[in-house]
Amino acid sequence: FFFQAEDGIRDAQESRGLGDVYKRQIEQKTQLFFEIATNAPAVVCCRCSPTQKAQVTEYIKQYTGKKTLCVGDGGNDVSMIQAGDVGVGIVGKEGKQAALAADYSILKFKYLNKLLLWHGRLAYKRTAVMSQFVIHRGLIISIIQLMFTCIFYYVAIPIYNGWLMPVSYTHLTLPTIYSVQISVVAVSLKKK
């Protein structure tokens, strides 16, 4: 999708460049431009300065309120990668500046699919299992405390005194946490 100014084609032909057209669009019709741009499934910025790429990222975040993923492969993409919520840098012919500035670094663009779909899904599943584990652990501890209080005539005495709670959280539940995480990874690898 290319958003044209009233005389955008003539401006581009007069070799003023797409940067000037973009600048005028940002100044004059920011709201309209980003309403249209945010309806697109993806926004690709090419032939823009690093500052303009970062501005597009900021405006997309501002107008949609959603998280942004920025992918870049060179030093000119560093500001855009840092402006995004999640940055992916591709190590390539243009150097490692983008990869060093990014949250995630990949060697080729084709690995982006695996990064998002496979590792993202796995991280989501691990987080879901861990949140269920933490909720159940808290529920069990609360029920034990409730039963203890009911048995001893509703006296407010804690069953877990001093170091017993932190020790039980760290040493007794640590093997359970590791086994849950390993089982999630093992099941996912079997399905692959």
Side-chain angles (χ1 to χ4, degrees):
F1 178 78
F2 180 71
F3 189 84
Q4 294 180 346
E6 289 81 18
D7 54 346
I9 295 173
R10 189 175 59 226
D11 286 345
Q13 289 173 348
E14 291 174 0
S15 74
R16 294 179 65 190
L18 291 176
D20 290 339
V21 173
Y22 168 82
K23 188 175 181 181
R24 189 171 334 125
Q25 291 304 323
I26 293 297
E27 292 169 356
Q28 293 176 356
K29 299 178 181 166
T30 304
Q31 180 74 25
L32 179 62
F33 177 78
F34 283 102
E35 281 179 9
I36 294 171
T38 54
N39 288 329
V43 177
V44 178
C45 298
C46 58
R47 307 304 299 163
C48 294
S49 72
T51 308
Q52 290 171 336
K53 292 178 186 180
Q55 283 177 342
V56 168
T57 303
E58 291 296 332
Y59 281 129
I60 296 275
K61 288 187 340 187
Q62 177 184 346
Y63 283 107
T64 63
K66 296 180 181 178
K67 303 292 182 192
T68 56
L69 168 75
C70 295
V71 181
D73 65 344
N76 60 341
D77 297 324
V78 170
S79 60
M80 175 187 64
I81 289 172
Q82 291 176 340
D85 294 310
V86 178
V88 177
I90 302 172
V91 178
K93 295 177 183 176
E94 295 184 28
K96 294 185 179 182
Q97 294 93 348
L100 293 173
D103 299 319
Y104 297 97
S105 177
I106 56 177
L107 294 175
K108 295 181 180 178
F109 188 77
K110 69 178 182 177
Y111 298 144
L112 185 63
N113 188 22
K114 187 175 181 180
L115 175 69
L116 294 178
L117 299 179
W118 175 250
H119 294 289
R121 177 180 174 273
L122 211 56
Y124 176 76
K125 287 180 74 172
R126 280 189 231 138
T127 303
V129 169
M130 281 308 300
S131 63
Q132 288 177 350
F133 176 75
V134 168
I135 290 170
H136 286 115
R137 182 180 64 183
L139 193 63
I140 289 169
I141 290 170
S142 300
I143 289 173
I144 291 172
Q145 180 65 46
L146 180 69
M147 291 173 54
F148 179 77
T149 304
C150 291
I151 290 171
F152 288 100
Y153 302 106
Y154 303 102
V155 178
I157 301 172
I159 191 170
Y160 301 107
N161 290 325
W163 286 94
L164 188 58
M165 185 66 85
V167 168
S168 69
Y169 269 175
T170 55
H171 296 295
L172 300 177
T173 61
L174 203 59
T176 309
I177 291 171
Y178 283 136
S179 67
V180 165
Q181 293 301 321
I182 290 171
S183 68
V184 168
V185 173
V187 168
S188 297
L189 288 176
K190 276 185 181 178
K191 289 181 180 177
K192 188 178 178 186

